[in-house]
């Protein structure tokens, strides 16, 4: 996120080399305590009135200043090395302590040495692993190392394609296969009638939670949906021409049945939300690039490759993260990615592991269109005040000109500068296609949108890529309008930020999520 203007920059993900924040691990070596030096006999003495008290910690006599010793006729001479001294009556047998010392000497030294040797072996093994991890990939099945650049390069180098099996996938979704869509206004449900090739409104008549669940499964959501009923009189019904009810067949499939008379008997339509989303727990906002809290933007995540922040992303569902495809250039190894959620301060420990990464099949690295990707997490996130999903827009989402939008991230705070350590937020405005195309020589397609300030000074930057551009929707929920994608530099006057338009990729998003259910 930037509030400054500097020299030219090309849009690129913040790769690990470019990232300025590291997680260097300093190994602190603890020196073992030297065995206490002992002077045979010096600390085993008969009691006497002039005797200086022995230190309470039982330290050997060698540590006592010689001047404190009280020489005198009553002093029992020290034992000869190896000869047990007779125990004076009424005291502990003297052989007890000297025996303990010799036991310590016999066992402590070898144990300490063994621990030291083992610790050194562990440290060396860790160092070897770190070095190997940075230069080689180990093929488990064929038991061999291959250079790191051969991992996920599209060609098989290990037996069983092992080096190509945990890499990003490109996924094609046929938009003709989508049969469910949700409107922007009031989240109303429409289903596609294959027989007549028409979209239909769904009447509330005979609607129930089983049907809601079945429809949400079509969109790739497995949680508990929320639905309500909206009077047809409150709706602009022009985006679909017919009204239907839904019947659930014995094979659990849904059948769309047009209602006779062209009106819903109940007079109401189904409003459906497959997930509770877009709830931000704090309302106050600070204008201009400024520190924020995660409770303000609980869907914001940090995408980290080998412990370095690379891109932003957003939570769509307990195990789905939306981001930009260009974040994975040269970093396609799924197991090296981690996702940090629920923290405004950039941290690198205990990130969530990634199961799969999907890129839009038409995305080409270093090109601008189709810059969208989904990451599937190994484990579901648990939602809280600081971890929440963002809503997707409706299929017909259409923002008013100059709409106020917000964008968040840990990207560079100045062009060519360094990452923010605390999540930044900035308020920007939607910029028209005409203005944006004149700034970018007609490179702006209908699947992109532009936002920023024409005068510059508030924008996204390297490291913000993949993060969410959000608007506070009519239904009092935050929804994700764009994905940070590219731009000429950061915060330059006359060069606004360009975003992937989320509403253009709903079929792809729902299609990928459904495939993975
Ligand atoms: C980047 O390199 C980047 N000012 C992202 C956004 C913008 C420029 C560069 C837009 O990831």
């Amino acid at each position: 996120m930037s509030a400054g203007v500097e020299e030219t920059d090309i849009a690129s993900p913040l790769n690990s080399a470019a990232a300025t924040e590291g997680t260097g691990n300093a190994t602190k070596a603890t020196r073992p305590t030297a065995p206490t030096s002992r002077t045979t006999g010096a600390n085993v003495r008969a009691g006497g009135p002039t005797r200086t008290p022995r230190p309470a910690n039982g330290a050997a006599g060698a540590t006592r200043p010689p001047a404190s010793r009280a020489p005198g006729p009553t002093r029992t001479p020290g034992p000869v090395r190896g000869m047990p001294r007779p125990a004076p009556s009424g005291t502990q047998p003297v052989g007890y302590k000297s025996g303990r010392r010799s036991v310590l000497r016999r066992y402590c030294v070898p144990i300490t040495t063994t621990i030291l040797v083992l610790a050194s072996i562990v440290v060396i093994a860790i160092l070897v692993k770190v070095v190997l991890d940075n230069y080689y990939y180990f093929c488990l099945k064929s038991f061999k190392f291959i250079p790191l650049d051969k991992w996920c390069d599209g060609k098989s180098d290990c037996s069983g394609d092992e080096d190509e099996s945990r890499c990003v996938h490109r996924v094609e979704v046929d938009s003709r296969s989508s049969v469910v869509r949700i409107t922007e206004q009031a989240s109303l449900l429409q289903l596609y009638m294959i027989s007549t090739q028409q979209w239909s409104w769904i009447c509330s008549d005979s609607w129930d939670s089983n049907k809601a669940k079945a429809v949400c499964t079509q969109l790739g959501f497995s949680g508990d949906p929320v639905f309500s009923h909206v009077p047809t009189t409150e709706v602009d019904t022009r985006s679909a021409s017919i009204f239907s009810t839904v019947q659930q067949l014995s094979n659990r499939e849904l059948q769309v049945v047009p209602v006779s008379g062209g009106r819903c008997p109940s007079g109401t339509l189904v409003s459906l939300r497959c997930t509770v989303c877009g709830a931000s727990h704090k309302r106050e906002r600070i204008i201009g690039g400024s520190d924020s809290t995660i409770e303000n933007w609980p869907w914001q995540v940090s995408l980290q490759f080998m412990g370095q922040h690379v891109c932003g992303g957003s939570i769509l569902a307990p195990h789905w993260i939306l981001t930009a495809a260009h974040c994975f250039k040269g970093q396609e190894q799924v197991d090296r990615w981690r996702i940090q959620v629920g923290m405004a301060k950039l941290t690198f420990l205990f990130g969530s592991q990634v199961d799969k990464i999907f890129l839009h099949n038409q995305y080409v690295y270093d090109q601008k269109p189709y810059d969208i990707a989904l990451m599937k997490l190994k484990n579901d996130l648990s939602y809280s005040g600081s971890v929440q999903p963002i809503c997707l827009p409706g299929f017909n989402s259409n923002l008013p000109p100059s709409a106020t939008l917000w964008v968040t991230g840990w990207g560079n705070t100045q062009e060519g500068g360094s990452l923010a350590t605390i999540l930044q937020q900035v308020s920007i405005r939607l910029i028209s296609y005409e203005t944006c195309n004149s700034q970018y020589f007609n490179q702006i397609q209908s699947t992109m949108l532009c936002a920023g300030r024409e005068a510059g000074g508030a924008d996204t930057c390297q490291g913000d890529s993949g993060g969410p551009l959000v608007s506070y929707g009519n239904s009092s929920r935050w929804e994700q309008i764009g994905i940070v994608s590219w731009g000429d530099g950061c915060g330059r006057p006359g060069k606004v930020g360009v975003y992937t338009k989320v509403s253009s990729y709903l079929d792809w998003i729902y299609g990928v999520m459904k495939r993975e259910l």
Side-chain angles (χ1 to χ4, degrees):
M1 193 123 324
S2 162
V5 182
E6 268 180 35
E7 80 240 34
T8 314
D9 182 40
I10 47 158
S12 64
L14 185 65
N15 60 32
S16 44
T20 51
E21 299 248 335
T23 50
N25 290 338
T27 312
K28 205 182 192 180
T30 315
R31 202 145 65 93
T33 316
T36 314
S37 64
R38 277 180 278 171
T39 311
T40 312
N43 59 344
V44 182
R45 302 174 214 297
T50 54
R51 192 168 172 238
T52 312
R54 192 184 153 79
N57 62 8
T63 56
R64 186 146 35 121
S68 67
R69 281 185 201 161
T74 56
R75 188 161 179 250
T76 313
V80 177
R81 185 186 285 272
M83 288 266 291
R85 195 161 36 161
S89 61
T91 61
Q92 218 176 17
V94 287
Y96 169 74
K97 278 187 180 160
S98 69
R100 202 172 66 178
R101 277 200 312 280
S102 76
V103 166
L104 280 178
R105 197 183 329 168
R106 196 173 300 160
Y107 294 110
C108 243
V109 174
I111 287 173
T112 314
T113 314
T114 313
I115 290 171
L116 277 177
V117 168
L118 288 177
S120 313
I121 291 171
V122 169
V123 168
I124 291 167
I126 290 171
L127 286 176
V128 168
K129 184 173 167 11
V130 167
V131 170
L132 288 178
D133 279 357
N134 278 292
Y135 296 99
Y136 296 99
Y137 171 81
F138 182 65
C139 310
L140 276 172
K141 284 183 204 149
S142 36
F143 211 75
K144 66 172 182 185
F145 286 98
I146 57 165
L148 209 58
D149 58 2
K150 290 191 181 285
W151 186 8
C152 292
D153 66 348
K155 284 179 238 129
S156 174
D157 297 286
C158 302
S159 69
D161 254 5
E162 191 192 315
D163 56 320
E164 300 298 320
S165 64
R166 305 245 341 119
C167 309
V168 302
H169 302 274
R170 286 169 189 274
V171 185
E172 183 177 358
V173 171
D174 183 1
S175 61
R176 285 168 306 179
S177 65
S178 78
V179 291
V180 180
R181 67 187 193 185
I182 308 280
T183 65
E184 177 66 25
Q185 278 77 38
S187 304
L188 297 169
L189 172 65
Q190 293 186 356
L191 295 181
Y192 192 66
M193 290 189 49
I194 296 159
S195 54
T196 59
Q197 301 194 349
Q198 279 174 308
W199 286 98
S200 171
W201 296 103
I202 301 304
C203 302
S204 301
D205 307 77
S206 78
W207 183 257
D208 61 25
S209 56
N210 287 334
K211 290 173 185 170
K213 242 185 146 88
V215 166
C216 286
T217 305
Q218 293 292 315
L219 297 178
F221 285 90
S222 53
D224 286 326
V226 182
F227 61 88
S228 59
H229 310 296
V230 176
T232 37
T233 48
E234 289 177 14
V235 178
D236 173 1
T237 52
R238 278 176 295 180
S239 66
S241 44
I242 49 175
F243 294 81
S244 306
T245 56
V246 172
Q247 308 299 324
Q248 197 150 22
L249 303 176
S250 51
N251 60 3
R252 310 194 96 223
E253 277 205 6
L254 297 182
Q255 191 180 34
V256 184
V257 183
V259 288
S260 54
R263 274 163 190 235
C264 297
S266 59
T268 58
L269 295 171
V270 173
S271 164
L272 179 64
R273 287 191 212 158
C274 293
T275 176
V276 175
C277 56
S280 161
H281 289 247
K282 284 196 182 166
R283 289 275 165 260
E284 71 264 29
R285 305 275 174 225
I286 309 158
I287 305 293
S290 58
D291 286 4
S292 188
T293 65
I294 200 71
E295 289 78 12
N296 272 337
W297 317 105
W299 40 82
Q300 173 78 50
V301 303
S302 157
L303 269 51
Q304 301 177 352
F305 187 76
M306 292 180 75
Q308 305 243 338
H309 170 90
V310 175
C311 272
S314 55
I315 302 168
L316 293 186
H319 56 262
W320 285 107
I321 304 295
L322 182 63
T323 187
H326 80 258
C327 296
F328 302 97
K329 186 184 172 191
Q331 310 180 126
E332 296 201 339
Q333 300 91 349
V334 172
D335 295 324
R336 300 198 141 189
W337 285 93
R338 293 284 182 280
I339 309 292
Q340 284 291 348
V341 304
M343 273 178 267
K345 188 169 186 306
L346 207 47
T347 31
F348 301 94
L349 288 176
F350 311 117
S352 301
Q353 290 186 306
V354 178
D355 184 23
K356 291 179 186 171
I357 300 175
F358 302 96
L359 306 194
H360 195 286
N361 58 305
Q362 283 172 279
Y363 177 74
V364 178
Y365 287 125
D366 297 325
Q367 294 191 10
K368 297 175 170 88
Y370 310 105
D371 193 7
I372 187 167
L374 277 167
M375 299 175 96
K376 185 181 181 193
L377 302 182
K378 276 194 179 155
N379 301 304
D380 278 5
L381 298 170
S382 4
Y383 290 157
S384 65
S386 51
V387 181
Q388 284 286 315
I390 182 72
C391 303
L392 286 168
F395 79 91
N396 53 351
S397 149
N398 197 12
L399 290 165
S402 306
T404 298
L405 304 170
W406 287 86
V407 66
T408 43
W410 291 272
N412 293 354
T413 48
Q414 273 195 340
E415 195 174 319
S418 55
L419 295 175
T421 44
I422 303 289
L423 180 65
Q424 299 292 297
Q425 60 181 17
V426 70
S427 161
I428 50 181
R429 286 189 181 276
L430 183 67
I431 305 286
S432 72
Y433 279 94
E434 295 70 46
T435 306
C436 201
N437 261 321
S438 68
Q439 292 184 358
Y440 286 112
F441 314 104
N442 292 324
Q443 291 184 81
I444 309 303
Q445 304 185 351
S446 60
T447 54
M448 302 172 188
L449 56 80
C450 300
R453 295 185 194 163
E454 282 190 63
D459 193 11
T460 47
C461 202
Q462 210 177 17
D464 288 319
S465 284
L469 173 75
V470 297
S471 82
Y472 197 58
N474 303 339
S475 39
S476 309
R477 296 174 302 142
W478 289 91
E479 60 186 42
Q480 185 166 353
I481 300 301
I483 302 169
V484 180
S485 181
W486 62 281
D488 201 350
C490 309
R492 299 178 186 185
K495 293 286 180 190
V496 295
V498 188
Y499 297 77
T500 305
K501 187 175 173 182
V502 174
S503 61
S504 302
Y505 293 97
L506 291 172
D507 288 343
W508 185 81
I509 296 169
Y510 291 136
V512 172
M513 286 173 34
K514 184 182 164 190
R515 247 177 69 130
E516 290 293 311
L517 265 186

